[in-house]
């Protein structure tokens, strides 16, 4: 049985090389969740990944992305050629996709990202032409994506009528993309079965944040809270994307706050494992809570280090006693949470972190999610 996975994501080493084509850090959350999902699927199935890598005529430092392939265990990565010209773009891409599909197992299903409209449209077209079942991976509401217009959200949601099933992060996302109540499964996120070695700690005692540096995700509240606490023995390490003049000004001349730039996922995971605590300051918002689960939270909870986070209604049910949960993510909220953590003994901190790690492995490890996905997908293979 074979899975054909349409996405923008790449094998991790290839992704790190790809980032060099951009003059600034780009959002890696989609890369992380789809890469983990692909690797989880590959534990039980062969996966042909058709990757339509994002490309910008104005911003990319290269004139084109060259077609290439990589095979890692049961995953065959097919990176399609991408060129600057928009003329005949769909037919140019389809010709490459069709060559991949010619060699695919007849008993295949298509799984596709549903947030990128180009990827989604190509996957839907392939499913129709080849009569394959198609399942959508729903990771966010298109209206929540920064910079998108209403017309874009409507075009993405219109494509959902072609889906035969969904894999969604939350029930609300499933309702959004699956109005006809077709087969579905809720998978909030995934974490690694095994973590890389933490490596040497060259920063001393620090709190760690990784993710978007837009204000709406709470980074400025975190900086202000840490500054007001005045903890000379601790640092705040930040890495992520979308930094701008406002962010750089916010940390200027703050000796114990350091911006590390955009790091690879493995580098982030290693930093998480040496942190005093990993922090998710995203202010609580009902729409965000209904439609998203922060992907970094699965790394944090799996890190064997304490987690501080605003509440996520899905995660609190499992990790109620395994993290320090904030109500709103305000400056005072963050200060209180950090003080609460520092008031705990080392044994208490370690115990809380170990319980979080054990629960993360039990519910969200690649191997355990693989079992759930396999049960869900069997019906589609039988129909095909």
């Amino acid at each position: 049985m074979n899975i054909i996975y349409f996405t923008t994501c790449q094998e991790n080493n290839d992704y790190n090389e790809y980032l060099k084509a951009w003059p600034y850090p780009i959002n890696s959350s989609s890369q992380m969740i789809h890469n983990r999902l692909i690797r989880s699927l590959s534990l039980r199935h062969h996966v042909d990944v058709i990757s339509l890598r994002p490309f910008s005529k104005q911003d990319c430092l290269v004139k084109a992305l060259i077609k290439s392939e990589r095979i890692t265990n049961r995953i065959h990565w097919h990176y399609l050629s991408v060129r600057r010209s928009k003329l005949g773009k769909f037919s140019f891409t389809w010709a490459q996709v069709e060559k991949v599909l010619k060699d695919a197992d007849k008993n295949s299903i298509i799984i596709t990202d549903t947030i990128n409209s180009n990827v989604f449209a190509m996957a839907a077209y392939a499913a129709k032409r080849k009569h394959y079942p198609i399942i959508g991976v729903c990771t966010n509401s298109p209206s929540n994506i920064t910079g998108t217009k209403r017309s874009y959200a409507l075009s993405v949601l219109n494509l959902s009528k072609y889906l035969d099933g969904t894999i969604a992060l939350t029930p609300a996302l499933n309702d959004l993309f699956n109005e006809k109540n077709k087969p579905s499964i809720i998978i909030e996120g995934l974490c690694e079965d095994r973590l890389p070695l933490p490596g040497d700690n060259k920063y001393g005692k620090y709190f760690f944040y990784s993710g978007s540096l837009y204000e709406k995700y709470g980074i400025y509240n975190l900086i202000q809270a840490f500054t007001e606490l005045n903890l000379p023995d601790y640092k705040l390490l930040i890495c992520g994307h979308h930094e701008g003049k406002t962010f750089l000004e916010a940390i200027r001349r703050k000796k114990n706050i350091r911006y590390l730039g955009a790091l690879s996922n493995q580098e982030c995971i290693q930093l998480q494992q040496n942190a005093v605590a990993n922090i998710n300051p995203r202010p609580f918002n009902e729409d965000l809570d209904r439609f998203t689960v922060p992907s970094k939270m699965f790394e944090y909870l799996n890190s064997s280090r304490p987690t501080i986070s605003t509440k996520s209604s899905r995660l609190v049910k499992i990790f109620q006693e395994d993290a320090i949960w904030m109500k709103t993510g305000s400056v005072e909220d963050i200060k209180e949470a950090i003080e609460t953590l520092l008031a705990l003994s080392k044994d208490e901190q370690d115990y809380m972190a170990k319980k979080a790690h054990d629960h993360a492995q039990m519910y969200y490890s690649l191997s355990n999610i693989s079992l759930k996905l396999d049960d869900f997908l069997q019906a589609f293979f039988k129909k095909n």
Side-chain angles (χ1 to χ4, degrees):
M1 295 185 288
N2 188 59
I3 293 169
I4 303 165
Y5 200 114
F6 283 77
T7 180
T8 59
C9 98
Q10 302 163 56
E11 191 272 337
N12 283 329
N13 291 322
D14 294 335
Y15 182 71
N16 292 335
E17 284 297 312
Y18 162 80
L19 291 177
K20 296 175 183 178
W22 295 83
Y24 52 80
I26 60 176
N27 191 336
S28 62
S29 59
S30 179
Q31 161 71 17
M32 287 189 294
I33 190 165
H34 286 287
N35 180 281
R36 288 180 188 145
L37 189 54
I38 287 165
R39 287 188 287 122
S40 180
L41 290 164
S42 75
L43 295 177
R44 295 178 174 274
H45 304 281
H46 178 269
V47 185
D48 279 302
V49 179
I50 298 178
S51 177
L52 287 75
R53 295 161 292 176
F55 182 73
S56 168
K57 183 177 180 180
Q58 291 76 28
D59 295 339
C60 275
L61 303 177
V62 294
K63 294 182 178 180
L65 296 176
I66 300 170
K67 178 181 177 182
S68 63
E69 297 181 31
R70 176 194 284 265
I71 297 175
T72 55
N73 299 319
R74 291 184 180 178
I75 308 172
H76 191 159
W77 300 88
H78 305 268
Y79 301 122
L80 305 189
S81 174
V82 183
R83 58 188 183 185
R84 286 179 182 249
S85 174
K86 291 185 177 180
L87 295 174
K89 183 177 178 180
F90 189 91
S91 58
F92 175 72
T93 304
W94 170 246
Q96 297 178 75
V97 170
E98 195 167 29
K99 288 181 180 179
V100 176
L101 298 182
K102 281 182 179 179
D103 297 325
D105 190 321
K106 291 183 179 180
N107 190 20
S108 295
I109 60 174
I110 288 176
I111 297 179
T112 182
D113 177 2
T114 58
I115 285 298
N116 186 294
S117 62
N118 292 330
V119 171
F120 198 175
M122 186 59 66
Y125 185 72
K128 182 178 179 181
R129 288 289 299 268
K130 299 298 181 179
H131 307 290
Y132 289 143
I134 179 171
I135 299 168
V137 179
C138 311
T139 57
N140 204 343
S141 165
S143 59
N144 282 339
I145 306 301
T146 302
T148 57
K149 298 180 180 179
R150 185 171 182 271
S151 58
Y152 181 88
L154 291 174
S155 69
V156 167
L157 292 176
N158 186 54
L159 287 167
S160 66
K161 66 187 177 184
Y162 298 110
L163 296 176
D164 297 302
T166 52
I167 300 169
L169 297 191
T170 70
L173 272 178
N174 184 57
D175 292 342
L176 184 66
F177 283 90
N178 190 5
E179 290 185 347
K180 294 187 178 180
N181 198 29
K182 294 179 180 180
S184 63
I185 185 172
I186 305 299
I187 302 289
E188 291 93 349
L190 304 93
C191 65
E192 303 292 342
D193 286 348
R194 297 180 184 85
L195 296 176
L197 294 174
D200 296 331
N201 180 3
K202 59 183 179 181
Y203 297 107
K205 295 186 289 186
Y206 62 85
F207 294 85
F208 183 69
Y209 170 83
S210 62
S212 174
L213 303 178
Y214 283 134
E215 182 177 3
K216 70 177 184 179
Y217 294 108
I219 186 62
Y220 296 109
N221 282 354
L222 175 58
I223 292 169
Q224 184 177 340
F226 193 78
T227 301
E228 291 181 9
L229 282 172
N230 189 23
L231 301 170
D233 295 332
Y234 296 87
K235 296 183 181 69
L236 173 62
L237 302 185
I238 299 169
C239 75
H241 50 274
H242 296 137
E243 85 284 5
K245 291 181 181 178
T246 305
F247 168 75
L248 295 174
E249 181 64 27
I251 64 170
R252 192 166 63 92
R253 296 177 183 173
K254 292 182 169 43
K255 293 182 180 179
N256 62 340
I257 299 179
R258 291 191 58 179
Y259 175 54
L260 305 179
L263 304 179
S264 71
N265 187 236
Q266 178 161 324
E267 289 172 314
C268 286
I269 289 175
Q270 289 177 322
L271 284 166
Q272 291 160 15
Q273 292 178 85
N274 279 323
V276 173
N278 299 296
I279 303 180
N280 169 38
R282 188 180 81 175
F284 183 82
N285 173 289
E286 287 190 3
D287 275 346
L288 282 176
D289 186 60
R290 288 177 62 231
F291 290 115
T292 66
V293 182
S295 57
K296 64 175 169 278
M297 280 296 292
F298 299 94
E299 294 178 5
Y300 287 2
L301 293 163
N302 193 43
S303 69
S304 295
R305 298 303 306 147
T307 298
I308 296 173
S309 177
T310 45
K311 286 192 174 182
S312 164
S313 59
R314 301 288 297 176
L315 295 181
V316 166
K317 294 177 182 178
I318 296 173
F319 299 95
Q320 177 70 59
E321 306 297 328
D322 306 343
I324 294 176
W325 297 102
M326 302 179 287
K327 292 181 180 179
T328 65
S330 67
V331 172
E332 291 304 314
D333 224 4
I334 296 172
K335 287 167 62 178
E336 182 181 344
I338 291 175
E339 289 174 330
T340 298
L341 176 86
L342 294 178
L344 298 177
S345 68
K346 183 179 183 305
D347 286 345
E348 289 171 324
Q349 292 180 17
D350 291 346
Y351 179 68
M352 178 174 64
K354 184 181 184 304
K355 285 201 304 176
H357 169 78
D358 291 345
H359 282 138
Q361 285 294 304
M362 182 185 303
Y363 292 100
Y364 299 113
S365 67
L366 298 188
S367 55
N368 283 329
I369 293 296
S370 176
L371 291 169
K372 295 179 182 179
L373 289 171
D374 189 54
D375 288 342
F376 172 65
L377 295 175
Q378 286 304 318
F380 293 94
F381 284 123
K382 289 175 183 176
K383 289 177 183 177
N384 190 22

